[in-house]
Amino acid sequence: MYANKSNTNTLTKHAEWAGCTHSRMTVMESIDCLDQLIDESDPDVDFPNSFHAFQTAEGIRREHPDKDWFQLVGLIHDIGKIMALWGEPQWAVVGDTYPVGCRFQNSIVFRETTFVENPDDKNSSLNTECGIYKTNCGLENVFMSWGHDEYLYQVMKFNKCPIPEEGLYMIRFHSFYPWHSHGNYMHLCNEKDLKMLPWVKEFNKFDLYTKSTELPDVEQLKPYYQSLIDKYCPGVLSW
């Protein structure tokens, strides 16, 4: 888990990645790329992230068999980590996320040690409860620290994938632990955010607790999940 991302860094990475000009591939091809990635920030996993994708999806499928979009989100939620295969260091891709442009809350992982040289922490205009934002402005108007969550969210929006809003919140905020696990940053939330929060919490049960050294038979599962990809994220996407 990593921190120390600043407002300036976030805006730079938005400009660099949110235009989806780095590659073109299908969703299943992008999942296959995760065979090459082991998340160094995750103490529970020492196998490629592609297996975690199917473990999460299958956990959701067992408890929510009627919500195919939810199952798909479980499969794709970590694909944004593909940036680590395209030159981004892992610390800039994985780990917990948090808002930039306002005071860093104490619940952010490694809060006391990794913001020492972060200029935002010494900027009086940013180092207040709301910073550059207004109370109840809504998380859609907040810049989150750049990482795999925000990148995949931007990819889904850019390619106009018809995933329900609940699923987009899961993708964008599943690493936002200060919010969904510690109850911080509620002053920035609007009614929509509070309505979506239980969905993010529900997703994180599967993200956290389906990890196992008993790895799924990916080839057997692929046809089913390809059908979900064809429904919600068909064809070749821009990344």
Side-chain angles (χ1 to χ4, degrees):
M1 300 178 186
Y2 303 91
N4 205 26
K5 300 165 188 173
S6 68
N7 189 50
T8 300
N9 171 269
T10 294
L11 297 178
T12 300
K13 291 305 175 184
H14 265 274
E16 181 179 351
W17 290 95
C20 300
T21 59
H22 286 76
S23 184
R24 285 182 56 78
M25 68 178 85
T26 67
V27 167
M28 193 61 80
E29 286 172 337
S30 70
I31 293 170
D32 289 341
C33 286
L34 295 181
D35 287 345
Q36 307 168 49
L37 180 71
I38 296 176
D39 186 340
E40 297 169 359
S41 77
D42 191 338
D44 300 320
V45 170
D46 60 359
F47 47 81
N49 227 204
S50 53
F51 288 107
H52 170 57
F54 284 95
Q55 286 177 334
T56 305
E58 282 293 279
I60 294 169
R61 185 180 176 187
R62 284 191 291 272
E63 288 201 31
H64 298 279
D66 58 327
K67 293 181 175 61
D68 59 357
W69 59 268
F70 193 179
Q71 299 161 27
L72 177 69
V73 167
L75 181 73
I76 69 175
H77 72 283
D78 275 348
I79 291 178
K81 293 179 183 178
I82 201 170
M83 289 187 291
L85 304 177
W86 294 341
E88 287 290 325
Q90 275 216 25
W91 69 263
V93 172
V94 302
D96 298 2
T97 59
Y98 48 87
V100 295
C102 61
R103 179 184 297 147
F104 300 124
Q105 298 293 323
N106 290 334
S107 60
I108 298 173
V109 66
F110 302 142
R111 169 68 179 92
E112 297 303 317
T113 57
T114 60
F115 289 93
V116 175
E117 298 182 15
N118 191 310
D120 290 5
D121 206 29
K122 303 173 180 64
N123 187 325
S124 59
S125 66
L126 302 180
N127 203 9
T128 64
E129 198 75 359
C130 287
I132 63 175
Y133 312 111
K134 294 182 179 180
T135 302
N136 304 129
C137 63
L139 293 179
E140 62 188 349
N141 296 308
V142 170
F143 284 105
M144 299 295 295
S145 57
W146 185 258
H148 68 282
D149 306 53
E150 185 68 25
Y151 176 50
L152 183 61
Y153 170 77
Q154 295 295 336
V155 169
M156 294 295 103
K157 296 290 284 186
F158 185 90
N159 289 280
K160 297 181 171 58
C161 298
I163 294 173
E165 192 71 19
E166 294 87 347
L168 293 176
Y169 261 72
M170 295 170 185
I171 290 170
R172 193 177 197 185
F173 299 119
H174 68 272
S175 299
F176 187 9
Y177 286 91
W179 178 51
H180 61 67
S181 295
H182 298 284
N184 289 156
Y185 297 102
M186 291 297 180
H187 60 284
L188 299 178
C189 295
N190 58 21
E191 289 187 14
K192 177 182 176 183
D193 300 325
L194 298 179
K195 182 180 178 181
M196 294 294 164
L197 179 55
W199 285 100
V200 179
K201 287 176 174 286
E202 179 67 7
F203 170 80
N204 272 73
K205 291 189 329 191
F206 302 99
D207 188 17
L208 291 174
Y209 301 121
T210 57
K211 297 169 185 175
S212 168
T213 54
E214 187 174 329
L215 302 181
D217 186 340
V218 169
E219 292 307 313
Q220 183 182 29
L221 295 173
K222 274 186 175 181
Y224 174 74
Y225 286 102
Q226 184 62 57
S227 71
L228 305 190
I229 292 169
D230 291 341
K231 181 176 179 179
Y232 293 102
C233 311
V236 177
L237 305 187
S238 297
W239 298 83

